[in-house]
Amino acid sequence: MNYMQDTFFFQAMIYLAGAVIMVPIAKRLGLGSVLGYLLAGIIIGPAFLGLIGTKGHDIMHFAEFGVVMMLFVIGLELEPERLWRMRKKIAGMGGIQVAGTTLVLTAITLAFGLDWKTALVLGMIISMSSTAIVMQTLNEKGWIKTVAGRSSFAVLLFQDIAIIPMLALLPLLASKELQESAVATHATLMDGLPKLVQTLIVLSSIAVVILSGKYLLRPIFHAMAKTKLSEMFTAMALLVVVGIAVLMTSVGLSPALGAFLAGVMLANSEYKHQLEIAIDPFKGLLLGLFFISVGSSIDFQLLLSKPWFIMGLVLGIITIKITVLYLLGKFFKIGYTQNFIFSFGLSQIGEFAFVLLSFSLQENILSKEITDLMMAVTALSMAFTPLLMMFNEKVLLKSKCSMIGSEEEPESDVDSESNPVIIAGYGHFGNTVGRFLRANNIQATVLDNNSDNVNTLRKLGFKVYYGDASRHDLLEIAGAGRAQIIIIAIGNREKRMEMIEMVKKHFPNLYILVRSENRDDAYDQMNAGIMHIYRETLDTSLRVGIDVMKLLGHNTHEATRSARTFFTHDEKTLKYLASIRNQDEYISAVREKIEELERVILADREAMSLENAEKTMLT
């Protein structure tokens, strides 16, 4: 049996069995998936069944790759412009939280008689919060785009960035003799190089990640998409994340930060949604493995030898962090409800504490006794987080909200680009509808799984995303939960029927407008309960656009007149564009005609307004 326990397949079976048993139970009890993973780790770990041995920390280094993947996906959701808009919150809230928590905990630690170096290191380590647990919990509860969610993300992002100067500072806190004895324990490519060269290598590595994300990766993903092999696209996505992690680690930087930067650079890419879909299963499994590893790493022998002391430390640290975070939220004028979610959510010690503690032990800044103690305290604080969040939600917020009612929160900047219309398929049919809506200043999110088509449409100035719109998880990411209308314009008849059933099941809030090739196709769609069916002609495509405008509250006469103007202009444009053979000239001409159409429709709308005003005066 001992031989079996050391095999890869046995270990994989135990981890998967622990997850599939404990996570559904935890979810059923309302505890959340994170606590389910932690409980699975405790049960199968050395403290109880002992099925995964005592190598929890080695497994954790591998499992931390789930955090790297999560930050890549988070980066995909943040376009550089949006990240720049958040700069004050990231630097302000994040900087104050890390500095404030570090100073408070350093002062308290000094009061207990520890030397200033140990106190400062412990203060920095404890100031970190768990990106994995907080973001997973906020996502599960649907709070990620609330004020608390955005504030939590800003603080966590600053903490991830702060890891770099912390790792640079730690060796300076060790004596030269001890530092020299520890040099061989954490080698990187920069060992032995002059400080100036090391700095240049670090800056160059960051520049490589940013420039690759901006200029190199898009054509590579385009080539992968053209293969029509989804596994190649997934393999390329994994290669990007793994490659960035290797590069960042080799120069002594945080792989999570590198993955985040690459994600941000790809946030404007047409492949962002498909990348999220490709990475998400691996991210989820590796994050689950990380949480299981945290649970299995809790030293219950140490806990049982000093139960009151350790529990006192855990509760004391959580209380101090909640207090600092709550005061920070008050300073930044976060409402009561959101502030409690924010302060309770970030009250644990984060996963990077394991890295900093190991590094501090290697540098002989912290003793093994203090390191083991803080490893146990860190794991327990993470394990308590789902319980604290549940207590906050079920007890504190419920009682307070019953007295003060709901709070008004400012509109989320993350939702600022949510569009009321989604167009699935952007061939000749969907393209006509999309151009008509755009000319009437109605924004639509466009999805298409033809990479060549997406590439061409991007050159024409359309914001089109590559991906299979028949997948409900892709539609979820594209904003189907917030949209009002979906236009199913994909060319494949079977795919259309499949998508109709999927949208009805997962997004009952959406009006469904469907393209139909012929009478038989329309019959199938009517039998599926679809009322808005449009068979393919130019004027039918325009009728879809008219119906969208009416459903969004526009005047019927205005919508019909606009469609007539569009039709007339399109007929004239068609003859002109047909004579152009050069591709670059064609693209330039199309862009010019799109802008001309928008000016024509705007002028017509102004003329109609004047006509209505004159009629009103006459009557």
Side-chain angles (χ1 to χ4, degrees), residues 100-110 119 123 126-127 317 320-321:
T101 307
T102 299
L103 289 173
V104 169
L105 288 164
T106 299
I108 292 173
T109 310
L110 283 170
I126 296 171
S127 69
I317 288 170
I320 291 167
K321 293 194 74 172

Side-chain angles (χ1 to χ4, degrees), residues 431 435 456-457 459-462 569 573 576-577 580 583-597:
N431 183 283
R435 288 187 293 123
T456 302
L457 289 165
K459 290 178 182 177
L460 295 174
F462 291 97
H569 183 275
T573 301
Y576 168 71
L577 294 177
I580 300 174
Q583 182 70 8
D584 292 337
E585 186 182 345
Y586 177 83
I587 288 174
S588 177
V590 170
R591 294 189 70 139
E592 179 186 329
K593 291 300 178 182
I594 289 171
E595 292 171 2
E596 180 185 303
L597 173 61

Side-chain angles (χ1 to χ4, degrees), residues 316-439:
I317 288 170
I318 288 174
T319 302
I320 291 167
K321 293 194 74 172
I322 286 176
T323 304
V324 172
L325 287 160
Y326 186 80
L327 293 174
L328 178 66
K330 292 286 284 185
F331 179 78
F332 280 89
K333 297 181 172 57
I334 299 177
Y336 176 91
T337 300
Q338 296 295 307
N339 200 6
F340 259 52
I341 295 171
F342 168 68
S343 53
F344 271 69
L346 295 171
S347 61
Q348 74 293 120
I349 309 174
E351 56 273 352
F352 285 119
F354 295 111
V355 178
L356 293 171
L357 285 167
S358 299
F359 193 82
S360 299
L361 181 62
Q362 292 170 5
E363 293 288 347
N364 290 294
I365 302 168
L366 298 179
S367 67
K368 189 173 189 311
E369 181 184 358
I370 291 177
T371 303
D372 289 343
L373 178 66
M374 288 308 301
M375 287 278 192
V377 169
T378 299
L380 285 172
S381 74
M382 294 170 75
F384 282 174
T385 301
L387 295 174
L388 279 172
M389 293 288 278
M390 188 169 64
F391 173 75
N392 179 40
E393 183 183 6
K394 303 291 186 185
V395 179
L396 297 181
L397 295 183
K398 186 169 287 188
S399 61
K400 183 67 177 178
C401 287
S402 64
M403 292 185 285
I404 66 173
S406 61
E407 293 181 273
E408 289 286 329
E409 297 290 357
E411 186 179 353
S412 167
D413 56 2
V414 179
D415 281 332
S416 60
E417 289 194 3
S418 295
N419 296 320
V421 182
I422 295 174
I423 302 176
Y426 217 57
H428 68 276
F429 188 92
N431 183 283
T432 303
V433 179
R435 288 187 293 123
F436 175 71
L437 296 178
R438 173 172 164 166

Side-chain angles (χ1 to χ4, degrees), residues 164 167 202-203 205-206 245 247-256:
I164 298 169
L167 287 172
V202 168
L203 294 176
S205 299
I206 294 173
L247 174 63
M248 293 291 102
T249 305
S250 66
V251 297
L253 294 180
S254 164

